[in-house]
Coordinates of all heavy atoms in Angstrom, one line a residue:
F1089 N -137.0 111.2 116.0 CA -137.4 111.7 117.3 C -136.2 111.6 118.2 O -136.1 112.5 119.1 CB -138.6 110.9 117.9 CG -139.8 111.1 117.0 CD1 -140.3 110.0 116.3 CD2 -140.4 112.3 116.9 CE1 -141.4 110.1 115.5 CE2 -141.6 112.4 116.1 CZ -142.0 111.3 115.4
T1090 N -135.3 110.7 118.1 CA -134.2 110.5 119.1 C -133.0 111.3 118.6 O -132.1 111.5 119.4 CB -133.8 109.0 119.2 OG1 -133.5 108.5 118.0 CG2 -134.9 108.3 119.9
G1091 N -132.9 111.5 117.3 CA -131.6 112.1 116.8 C -130.5 111.1 116.7 O -130.8 109.9 116.8
Q1092 N -129.3 111.6 116.6 CA -128.2 110.7 116.6 C -127.6 110.6 118.0 O -127.1 111.6 118.5 CB -127.1 111.2 115.6 CG -127.6 111.1 114.2 CD -126.6 111.6 113.2 OE1 -125.8 112.5 113.5 NE2 -126.6 111.1 112.0
T1093 N -127.6 109.4 118.6 CA -127.0 109.3 119.9 C -126.2 108.0 120.0 O -126.5 107.0 119.2 CB -128.1 109.2 121.0 OG1 -128.9 108.0 120.8 CG2 -129.0 110.4 121.0
T1094 N -125.2 108.0 120.8 CA -124.5 106.7 121.0 C -124.1 106.6 122.5 O -123.9 107.6 123.2 CB -123.1 106.7 120.2 OG1 -122.4 107.9 120.5 CG2 -123.4 106.7 118.7
E1095 N -123.9 105.4 122.9 CA -123.3 105.0 124.2 C -122.3 104.0 123.8 O -122.6 103.1 123.0 CB -124.4 104.4 125.1 CG -125.4 105.4 125.6 CD -126.4 104.7 126.5 OE1 -126.0 103.8 127.3 OE2 -127.6 104.9 126.3
E1096 N -121.2 104.1 124.5 CA -120.1 103.1 124.2 C -119.5 102.6 125.5 O -119.5 103.3 126.5 CB -119.1 103.6 123.3 CG -118.3 104.7 123.8 CD -117.2 105.2 122.8 OE1 -117.6 106.0 121.9 OE2 -116.1 104.8 123.0
Y1097 N -119.1 101.3 125.4 CA -118.5 100.6 126.6 C -117.3 99.8 126.1 O -117.5 98.9 125.3 CB -119.5 99.7 127.3 CG -120.8 100.4 127.8 CD1 -121.9 100.6 126.9 CD2 -120.8 101.0 129.0 CE1 -123.0 101.3 127.3 CE2 -122.0 101.7 129.5 CZ -123.0 101.8 128.6 OH -124.2 102.5 129.0
K1098 N -116.2 100.1 126.6 CA -115.0 99.2 126.4 C -115.2 97.9 127.1 O -115.8 97.9 128.2 CB -113.7 99.9 126.8 CG -113.4 101.1 125.9 CD -112.1 101.7 126.1 CE -111.9 102.8 125.1 NZ -110.5 103.4 125.2
Y1099 N -114.8 96.9 126.6 CA -115.0 95.5 127.2 C -114.5 95.4 128.6 O -115.0 94.7 129.4 CB -114.5 94.4 126.3 CG -115.2 94.3 125.0 CD1 -114.6 94.7 123.8 CD2 -116.5 93.9 124.9 CE1 -115.3 94.6 122.6 CE2 -117.2 93.9 123.7 CZ -116.6 94.2 122.5 OH -117.3 94.1 121.4
E1100 N -113.3 96.1 128.9 CA -112.8 96.0 130.2 C -113.7 96.6 131.3 O -113.6 96.3 132.5 CB -111.4 96.6 130.3 CG -111.2 98.0 129.8 CD -110.8 98.1 128.3 OE1 -110.9 97.1 127.6 OE2 -110.4 99.2 127.9
R1101 N -114.7 97.4 130.9 CA -115.7 98.0 131.8 C -116.8 97.0 132.1 O -117.6 97.2 133.0 CB -116.3 99.3 131.3 CG -115.3 100.4 131.3 CD -116.0 101.7 131.0 NE -117.1 102.0 131.9 CZ -118.2 102.7 131.5 NH1 -118.3 103.2 130.3 NH2 -119.2 102.8 132.3
L1102 N -117.0 96.0 131.3 CA -118.1 95.1 131.4 C -117.8 93.9 132.3 O -116.7 93.3 132.2 CB -118.6 94.6 130.0 CG -118.9 95.7 129.0 CD1 -119.3 95.0 127.7 CD2 -120.0 96.5 129.6
G1103 N -118.7 93.5 133.2 CA -118.5 92.4 134.1 C -119.0 91.1 133.6 O -118.4 90.1 133.7
S1104 N -120.2 91.1 133.0 CA -120.8 89.8 132.5 C -122.1 90.2 131.7 O -122.5 91.3 131.7 CB -121.2 88.9 133.7 OG -122.2 89.5 134.5
A1105 N -122.6 89.1 131.0 CA -123.8 89.3 130.3 C -124.7 88.1 130.5 O -124.2 87.0 130.7 CB -123.5 89.4 128.8
E1106 N -126.0 88.3 130.6 CA -126.9 87.2 131.0 C -128.1 87.3 130.0 O -128.8 88.3 130.0 CB -127.3 87.4 132.4 CG -128.4 86.5 132.9 CD -128.8 86.9 134.3 OE1 -128.8 88.1 134.7 OE2 -129.2 85.9 135.0
F1107 N -128.4 86.2 129.3 CA -129.6 86.1 128.5 C -130.8 85.7 129.3 O -130.7 84.7 130.0 CB -129.3 85.1 127.3 CG -130.5 85.0 126.4 CD1 -130.9 86.0 125.6 CD2 -131.3 83.8 126.5 CE1 -132.0 85.8 124.8 CE2 -132.4 83.6 125.7 CZ -132.8 84.6 124.8
I1108 N -131.9 86.4 129.3 CA -133.1 86.1 130.0 C -134.2 85.8 129.0 O -134.4 86.5 128.1 CB -133.5 87.3 130.9 CG1 -132.4 87.9 131.7 CG2 -134.8 87.0 131.7 CD1 -131.9 87.1 132.8
N1109 N -134.8 84.6 129.3 CA -135.9 84.2 128.4 C -137.1 83.9 129.3 O -137.1 82.8 129.9 CB -135.5 83.0 127.6 CG -136.5 82.7 126.5 OD1 -137.4 83.5 126.2 ND2 -136.3 81.6 125.8
K1110 N -138.0 84.8 129.5 CA -139.2 84.6 130.3 C -140.5 84.6 129.4 O -140.8 85.7 128.8 CB -139.3 85.7 131.4 CG -138.3 85.6 132.4 CD -138.5 86.7 133.5 CE -137.5 86.6 134.5 NZ -137.6 87.6 135.5
F1111 N -141.1 83.5 129.3 CA -142.3 83.4 128.5 C -142.0 83.9 127.0 O -141.1 83.4 126.4 CB -143.5 84.2 129.1 CG -143.7 83.8 130.5 CD1 -143.4 84.7 131.6 CD2 -144.2 82.6 130.8 CE1 -143.6 84.4 132.9 CE2 -144.4 82.2 132.2 CZ -144.1 83.1 133.2
A1112 N -142.7 84.9 126.5 CA -142.4 85.4 125.2 C -141.4 86.5 125.2 O -141.0 87.0 124.1 CB -143.7 85.8 124.5
D1113 N -141.0 86.9 126.4 CA -140.1 88.1 126.5 C -138.6 87.5 126.6 O -138.3 86.7 127.5 CB -140.5 88.8 127.8 CG -139.8 90.2 127.8 OD1 -139.4 90.7 126.8 OD2 -139.8 90.8 128.9
H1114 N -137.8 88.1 125.8 CA -136.3 87.7 126.0 C -135.5 89.0 125.8 O -135.8 89.9 125.1 CB -135.9 86.7 125.0 CG -136.2 87.0 123.5 ND1 -137.4 86.6 123.0 CD2 -135.5 87.6 122.6 CE1 -137.4 87.0 121.7 NE2 -136.3 87.7 121.5
Y1115 N -134.4 89.0 126.6 CA -133.6 90.2 126.6 C -132.2 89.8 127.1 O -132.0 88.7 127.6 CB -134.2 91.4 127.4 CG -134.6 91.0 128.8 CD1 -133.7 91.3 129.9 CD2 -135.8 90.5 129.1 CE1 -134.1 91.0 131.2 CE2 -136.2 90.2 130.4 CZ -135.3 90.4 131.4 OH -135.7 90.1 132.7
L1116 N -131.3 90.8 127.0 CA -129.9 90.6 127.4 C -129.6 91.6 128.5 O -129.7 92.8 128.2 CB -129.0 90.7 126.2 CG -127.5 90.4 126.5 CD1 -127.3 88.9 126.9 CD2 -126.7 90.7 125.3
N1117 N -129.2 91.1 129.7 CA -128.6 92.0 130.7 C -127.1 92.1 130.6 O -126.5 91.0 130.6 CB -129.0 91.6 132.1 CG -130.4 91.9 132.5 OD1 -131.0 92.8 131.9 ND2 -131.0 91.2 133.4
I1118 N -126.5 93.2 130.5 CA -125.1 93.4 130.4 C -124.7 94.2 131.7 O -125.2 95.3 131.8 CB -124.6 94.1 129.1 CG1 -125.1 93.3 127.9 CG2 -123.1 94.2 129.1 CD1 -125.0 94.1 126.6
Y1119 N -123.9 93.6 132.5 CA -123.6 94.3 133.8 C -122.3 95.1 133.7 O -121.3 94.5 133.2 CB -123.5 93.2 134.9 CG -124.8 92.5 135.1 CD1 -125.0 91.3 134.5 CD2 -125.8 93.0 135.9 CE1 -126.2 90.6 134.6 CE2 -127.0 92.4 136.0 CZ -127.2 91.1 135.4 OH -128.4 90.5 135.5
V1120 N -122.3 96.3 134.1 CA -121.1 97.2 134.0 C -120.4 97.0 135.4 O -121.0 97.1 136.4 CB -121.5 98.6 133.8 CG1 -120.2 99.5 133.7 CG2 -122.3 98.8 132.5
K1121 N -119.0 96.8 135.3 CA -118.2 96.6 136.5 C -118.3 97.8 137.4 O -118.3 98.9 137.0 CB -116.7 96.4 136.1 CG -116.4 95.0 135.6 CD -114.9 95.0 135.4 CE -114.4 93.8 134.7 NZ -113.0 93.8 134.3
N1122 N -118.2 97.5 138.7 CA -118.0 98.5 139.8 C -119.2 99.5 139.8 O -119.0 100.6 140.2 CB -116.7 99.2 139.7 CG -115.5 98.2 139.8 OD1 -115.6 97.2 140.6 ND2 -114.5 98.4 139.0
T1123 N -120.3 99.2 139.2 CA -121.5 100.0 139.2 C -122.7 99.2 139.4 O -122.6 97.9 139.4 CB -121.6 100.8 137.9 OG1 -122.0 99.9 136.9 CG2 -120.4 101.6 137.5
Q1124 N -123.8 99.8 139.6 CA -125.1 99.0 139.6 C -125.8 99.1 138.2 O -126.9 98.7 138.1 CB -126.0 99.6 140.7 CG -125.4 99.3 142.1 CD -126.3 99.8 143.2 OE1 -127.4 100.3 142.9 NE2 -125.9 99.5 144.4
Q1125 N -125.1 99.6 137.2 CA -125.6 99.8 135.9 C -125.8 98.5 135.2 O -124.9 97.7 135.2 CB -124.8 100.8 135.1 CG -125.4 101.0 133.7 CD -124.5 102.0 132.9 OE1 -123.4 102.4 133.3 NE2 -125.0 102.3 131.7
V1126 N -127.0 98.3 134.6 CA -127.3 97.2 133.8 C -127.8 97.7 132.5 O -128.7 98.5 132.4 CB -128.4 96.3 134.4 CG1 -128.7 95.1 133.5 CG2 -128.0 95.8 135.8
I1127 N -127.1 97.2 131.4 CA -127.6 97.6 130.0 C -128.5 96.5 129.6 O -128.2 95.3 129.6 CB -126.4 97.7 129.1 CG1 -125.3 98.6 129.6 CG2 -126.8 98.0 127.7 CD1 -123.9 98.4 129.0
K1128 N -129.8 96.8 129.3 CA -130.8 95.9 129.0 C -131.1 96.0 127.5 O -131.6 97.1 127.1 CB -132.0 96.1 129.8 CG -132.5 94.9 130.6 CD -133.6 95.2 131.5 CE -133.4 94.3 132.7 NZ -134.5 94.3 133.6
L1129 N -130.9 95.0 126.7 CA -131.2 95.0 125.3 C -132.4 94.1 125.0 O -132.4 93.0 125.4 CB -130.0 94.6 124.5 CG -128.7 95.4 124.6 CD1 -127.6 94.7 123.8 CD2 -128.9 96.8 124.3
Y1130 N -133.4 94.7 124.3 CA -134.7 94.0 124.0 C -134.9 93.9 122.5 O -134.3 94.7 121.8 CB -135.9 94.7 124.6 CG -136.0 94.8 126.1 CD1 -135.5 95.8 126.8 CD2 -136.7 93.8 126.7 CE1 -135.7 95.9 128.2 CE2 -136.9 93.8 128.1 CZ -136.4 94.9 128.8 OH -136.5 94.9 130.2
G1131 N -135.8 93.0 122.2 CA -136.4 93.0 120.8 C -135.7 92.4 119.7 O -136.2 92.2 118.7
A1132 N -134.4 92.0 119.9 CA -133.7 91.3 118.9 C -134.0 89.9 119.0 O -134.6 89.4 120.0 CB -132.2 91.5 119.1

């Protein structure tokens, strides 16, 4: 359904990463420098 897609980020564009563990939900927030963009990874 999604086809082949990719998003890529060179490390110099990334500001930090934060692991969140709330109850049974856990995910990773990756903050992109100089933007308000947050890459949120779930389910792993």
Side-chain angles (χ1 to χ4, degrees):
F1089 299 108
T1090 57
Q1092 294 178 331
T1093 63
T1094 57
E1095 290 178 44
E1096 64 179 81
Y1097 301 88
K1098 292 188 176 184
Y1099 294 112
E1100 52 267 15
R1101 287 190 54 212
L1102 303 179
S1104 64
E1106 172 186 34
F1107 178 72
I1108 309 292
N1109 193 6
K1110 292 184 179 176
F1111 308 109
D1113 195 21
H1114 53 270
Y1115 53 94
L1116 185 65
N1117 282 340
I1118 304 167
Y1119 300 95
V1120 180
K1121 279 185 192 174
N1122 303 321
T1123 71
Q1124 293 183 357
Q1125 183 179 4
V1126 179
I1127 304 162
K1128 238 177 211 186
L1129 302 178
Y1130 291 93

